Amino acid sequence: MSTVQNQIISPYNSMKGKDFLKLSDFNATEVKKLLQLALQLKEEHKKGIHRTSLKGKNLALLFDKASTRTRVSFTVGMTQLGGSTITLTREASQLGRGETIADTAKTLSQYVDALVIRTDQDDILQTFAEHASIPVINGLTHLYHPCQALADLMTLQELKGDLTQVTLTYIGDGNNVLHSLLIGAALMGMHLRFATPRQYSPDNTIYQQALKIAKFTGSKLEVYSSPLQAAYEADAIYTDVWASMGQESEKAKRKLDFAGFTVNQKVMDLANPDALFMHCLPAYRGLEVSADVIEGKQSVVFQQAENRLHVQKSLLMALLSNEGEIV
């Protein structure tokens, strides 16, 4: 094993066995190494090379909410690494009959090596993490979507290079995606602007945490009231649905509240000529984004989706691989 390979392995030693509930659970060096390995795994994938680092390992997916990208990317990723997955729902498990989260977490810890949770309530995720003796991964909660942010950072690094030289503009709802992007941008020393309707601003506690991190990394986090001003000379424009899962009853009201926040070609034209359009998907054409933008040549939404596979493989290897198996 080469010296370079040993240098890649060492930062993962501190990550093995940890939970991944939010991006700030890892430091900047660890996140950079996750992205580095994800890019390496993607190159290997293109060549038909698949590692077997997680042979004999088992991953459980416990989802209270609908999922396409998270469910499939974790399942395929685990399989490509030599492991296996089992998918659970609350209704199909004893949780649906009243078994406590603590008992479920302790039981699953006897069977599987890691657990991915997707739930509305962050306290449910936290309770699983407190009682499980295996790594717990956040597959999406009300406050955070850290796996998506990893894929977003990977996509920007892949297409734009040095993240400290990237300006990302987020336009839309101050939701879990923006929360995770704020932390991710702060850790990577990236410039992030965001524009949201006043009543849909991101959680202030999370924003303040990101600002504290930014002081040490040189990141710049800026609030804009105007989407057009925020878009000016940006390297990438990002948006998300205006009504997330569980907010379906608010769709009509939010459509009115978000008037003027659609990412259309006028917005994209204010960004740099080679600016990317990003969206975590699913997308609703004609609402948060116009059809011509998401279908246009600047759109990288399906590359983002693809990169979910590779960053999650990197994450699983970091949390579950034995020393010496990372590369």
Side-chain angles (χ1 to χ4, degrees):
M1 188 173 294
S2 70
T3 302
V4 172
Q5 287 176 323
N6 279 315
Q7 289 174 347
I8 293 174
I9 290 171
S10 57
Y12 287 88
N13 296 342
S14 63
M15 298 169 70
K16 185 177 180 184
K18 288 183 65 174
D19 296 322
F20 183 58
L21 309 186
K22 54 189 182 301
L23 268 175
S24 56
D25 289 342
F26 295 153
N27 60 41
T29 298
E30 291 168 334
V31 173
K32 289 175 183 176
K33 290 299 180 180
L34 282 174
L35 299 178
Q36 178 184 349
L37 179 58
L39 289 165
Q40 186 176 339
L41 289 170
K42 184 173 183 177
E43 284 300 311
E44 292 175 3
H45 180 74
K46 290 178 180 178
K47 298 174 182 177
I49 301 171
H50 294 114
R51 309 186 190 200
T52 57
S53 305
L54 301 186
K55 184 178 181 179
K57 301 286 187 181
N58 298 284
L59 175 70
L61 309 175
L62 179 56
F63 286 11
D64 284 342
K65 306 179 75 172
S67 173
T68 298
R69 282 150 289 274
T70 301
R71 187 192 306 271
V72 176
S73 56
F74 268 115
T75 301
V76 173
M78 193 68 178
T79 301
Q80 289 182 357
L81 292 171
S84 61
T85 58
I86 181 170
T87 299
L88 302 169
T89 63
R90 180 177 294 272
E91 293 75 18
S93 69
Q94 294 296 344
L95 281 169
R97 297 182 63 247
E99 183 174 46
T100 66
I101 293 172
D103 286 355
T104 300
K106 291 174 184 177
T107 299
L108 290 175
S109 296
Q110 312 309 310
Y111 301 142
V112 299
D113 300 284
L115 179 61
V116 181
I117 304 285
R118 171 170 281 215
T119 180
D120 280 320
Q121 302 175 48
D122 287 79
D123 59 343
I124 289 177
L125 177 74
Q126 188 63 46
T127 302
F128 266 105
E130 289 171 359
H131 293 280
S133 58
I134 56 176
V136 173
I137 299 168
N138 183 350
L140 179 145
T141 60
H142 174 68
L143 286 178
Y144 296 105
H145 199 354
C147 293
Q148 179 63 52
L150 280 178
D152 299 335
L153 293 171
M154 176 186 173
T155 304
L156 287 168
Q157 184 171 323
E158 186 177 28
L159 296 174
K160 293 295 184 181
D162 183 1
L163 292 177
T164 64
Q165 302 303 307
V166 172
T167 297
L168 172 65
T169 290
Y170 178 95
I171 295 171
D173 186 25
N175 60 13
N176 49 13
V177 170
L178 178 54
H179 291 160
S180 290
L181 285 172
L182 281 166
I183 299 297
L187 285 168
M188 295 298 97
M190 196 168 75
H191 182 184
L192 174 63
R193 307 168 181 164
F194 63 92
T196 68
R198 185 181 300 274
Q199 64 270 43
Y200 298 100
S201 298
D203 181 273
N204 189 57
T205 299
I206 295 172
Y207 178 48
Q208 293 302 320
Q209 181 188 17
L211 287 174
K212 289 180 181 179
I213 297 171
K215 289 180 180 179
F216 293 96
T217 63
S219 170
K220 186 189 294 185
L221 307 176
E222 295 182 307
V223 184
Y224 282 76
S225 58
S226 165
L228 298 179
Q229 291 177 344
Y232 183 67
E233 294 187 344
D235 297 305
I237 305 291
Y238 197 126
T239 192
D240 190 13
V241 295
W242 293 340
S244 298
M245 285 183 288
Q247 299 172 335
E248 286 78 9
S249 63
E250 302 176 25
K251 277 186 176 180
K253 180 179 185 302
R254 284 174 175 252
K255 185 177 180 179
L256 295 174
D257 292 343
F258 281 86
F261 280 79
T262 298
V263 176
N264 52 29
Q265 196 57 52
K266 179 181 178 180
V267 173
M268 294 302 299
D269 287 344
L270 289 169
N272 288 329
D274 61 348
L276 309 175
F277 172 73
M278 305 180 74
H279 193 306
C280 59
L281 302 179
Y284 296 92
R285 291 154 176 82
L287 292 178
E288 75 272 8
V289 59
S290 61
D292 59 329
V293 168
I294 195 170
E295 303 293 348
K297 62 182 181 180
Q298 292 171 279
S299 176
V300 294
V301 299
F302 296 109
Q303 188 164 339
Q304 285 175 267
E306 177 190 2
N307 286 343
R308 290 291 302 276
L309 172 65
H310 306 298
V311 292
Q312 282 158 200
K313 287 166 65 176
S314 177
L315 177 65
L316 289 168
M317 289 177 67
L319 300 184
L320 297 177
S321 286
N322 294 322
E323 183 178 355
E325 293 181 344
I326 293 296
V327 295

